[in-house]
Amino acid sequence: MTKWDYDKLPKQVIPELSRAPIEITVLRVKMIGVPSPKMALADFITPPDEADIVSAVIKLKEIQALRLERNGKVDLEDGDLTIIGRLMVHLPIDISHSKLIVLGFVFGCFEECVKIAACLSGRNFFVTFHDARQRDRLAEYSLLVQWARPYFSDAIMRMNIFNKFLKLNARKDRRELQKWASDNNLCLKTLMEAYYVYEELKLRLSSRGFVWTDAQKRDRIHPSMYTLFLMIALCGAYYPHYFVQQPINYDFASASVGGKNPVNTVVISGFPPRYAPLYEQLLRSTLKNCIKTNATFTWK
């Protein structure tokens, strides 16, 4: 390490309590047998906010890492540790990803769920071009659709990419792997990071008594049922946080479509102002299957 690199290092290291997810901290406190996480964490040098601790306990109860009761009595700010919670402490991933692994083991899609958990723990696999001239948004979207077929799920998409990566990586042909990553606009470094997480998860899960499913036993399950079990595991792991819905700003929606009905109005931008009407016939022929013959075009 050079002196220039040394001088860039922070003078003080950020405490582990501030860097680690608060949910994992609560589980670790419960593992050592402390009665109340809220009271225990309050005595730390840099204690987290009480509201964050309560929110963490609620989230842990949602994913069944903690029971609703403590010593047989309902406690809103505490709960007894479950088997799932004990497992989550030993896995270096988000607690929702850990829940996915547990559900995968229950529904017989254990290996796939471990792969998805490893992939979701890292960054996006696709290379992002900050220069607009280097970006082809249609090609990027086509790649996403190609890898996500037939279920169009981000988790399934990452698993499909990772499965292909594992096959190529097993051949030990670096050039072939780099060419495949370049052709598919993938970041090889990010894939390798997911691979290391995957191997670490396999090691830790094996030490906790998890056994990998025999391929012959898995072949007995119909593919459609197998995929259904995988989707159920995904839904159960991330329920109820599928997406975040924000309140609809009706004034903004109406203004963005020029005061017309937002339900049946489409706004297309990017046309040259002077020559936009010349594209009307082309748009009508392109969209003939999804618009009415009396549809009106307004240019501004």
Side-chain angles (χ1 to χ4, degrees):
M1 178 182 294
T2 63
K3 184 178 183 302
W4 185 76
D5 292 331
Y6 177 79
D7 292 336
K8 290 198 306 180
L9 294 176
K11 301 299 180 183
Q12 294 181 346
V13 179
I14 301 175
E16 174 69 16
L17 186 63
S18 301
R19 290 185 283 114
I22 185 64
E23 294 85 5
I24 296 296
T25 303
V26 171
L27 290 177
R28 288 174 178 171
V29 170
K30 295 294 297 182
M31 281 288 291
I32 61 178
V34 176
S36 174
K38 185 176 179 180
M39 295 177 59
L41 294 174
D43 296 333
F44 280 61
I45 298 177
T46 55
D49 294 336
E50 291 187 4
D52 294 338
I53 299 175
V54 174
S55 299
V57 171
I58 294 174
K59 184 176 181 180
L60 290 170
K61 289 183 177 182
E62 284 182 352
I63 63 174
Q64 299 176 344
L66 293 178
R67 299 184 186 276
L68 295 176
E69 307 87 5
R70 177 177 174 271
N71 296 331
K73 296 181 180 180
V74 176
D75 192 335
L76 299 179
E77 298 181 354
D78 197 3
D80 293 330
L81 200 62
T82 65
I83 297 177
I84 298 177
R86 295 180 183 275
L87 174 66
M88 290 177 177
V89 177
H90 298 281
L91 298 182
I93 53 177
D94 186 81
I95 55 176
S96 297
H97 303 336
S98 300
K99 179 70 175 295
L100 174 65
I101 292 176
V102 174
L103 291 177
F105 185 80
V106 172
F107 287 102
C109 48
F110 178 58
E111 185 174 355
E112 281 71 17
C113 287
V114 174
K115 292 177 181 178
I116 292 175
C119 294
L120 293 178
S121 299
R123 297 172 295 171
N124 184 18
F125 287 163
F126 290 94
V127 177
T128 302
F129 296 103
H130 299 286
D131 189 351
R133 292 172 296 180
Q134 294 180 302
R135 300 194 65 176
D136 187 346
R137 296 185 181 275
L138 182 59
E140 291 178 3
Y141 180 75
S142 299
L143 277 175
L144 292 175
V145 172
Q146 175 185 347
W147 286 109
R149 287 176 179 171
Y151 302 101
F152 303 104
S153 165
D154 286 345
I156 302 295
M157 175 193 68
R158 293 200 181 196
M159 184 189 70
N160 292 336
I161 295 174
F162 192 67
N163 283 334
K164 181 65 175 179
F165 166 79
L166 291 178
K167 292 181 180 179
L168 295 176
N169 191 50
R171 300 177 185 175
K172 306 296 183 180
D173 190 340
R174 187 70 178 181
R175 289 186 177 180
E176 182 185 12
L177 191 60
Q178 289 178 339
K179 184 179 184 303
W180 169 77
S182 177
D183 293 342
N184 290 273
N185 198 26
L186 297 170
C187 179
L188 194 57
K189 180 181 178 181
T190 306
L191 285 165
M192 289 301 301
E193 292 173 355
Y195 174 73
Y196 293 140
V197 175
Y198 173 63
E199 291 296 323
E200 181 67 20
L201 287 175
K202 288 172 59 178
L203 182 63
R204 297 196 183 195
L205 290 168
S206 299
S207 66
R208 304 302 298 179
F210 285 85
V211 180
W212 301 95
T213 307
D214 187 2
Q216 294 181 352
K217 295 181 180 179
R218 290 171 49 189
D219 291 341
R220 300 173 188 172
I221 305 176
H222 193 274
S224 61
M225 292 299 297
Y226 188 78
T227 306
L228 175 63
F229 291 152
L230 181 59
M231 301 302 288
I232 292 175
L234 285 168
C235 292
Y238 302 105
Y239 174 85
H241 307 290
Y242 300 122
F243 58 88
V244 177
Q245 183 174 358
Q246 298 179 350
I248 300 175
N249 189 335
Y250 292 98
D251 294 335
F252 175 78
S254 178
S256 62
V257 294
K260 300 182 181 297
N261 186 358
V263 176
N264 55 17
T265 303
V266 177
V267 177
I268 304 176
S269 59
F271 288 101
R274 293 179 55 187
Y275 305 103
L278 300 178
Y279 292 91
E280 180 175 341
Q281 195 63 32
L282 177 61
L283 287 172
R284 285 186 180 276
S285 61
T286 304
L287 304 175
K288 61 182 179 181
N289 294 327
C290 55
I291 64 173
K292 297 181 179 180
T293 55
N294 59 348
T296 59
F297 284 77
T298 304
W299 309 97
K300 62 177 182 178

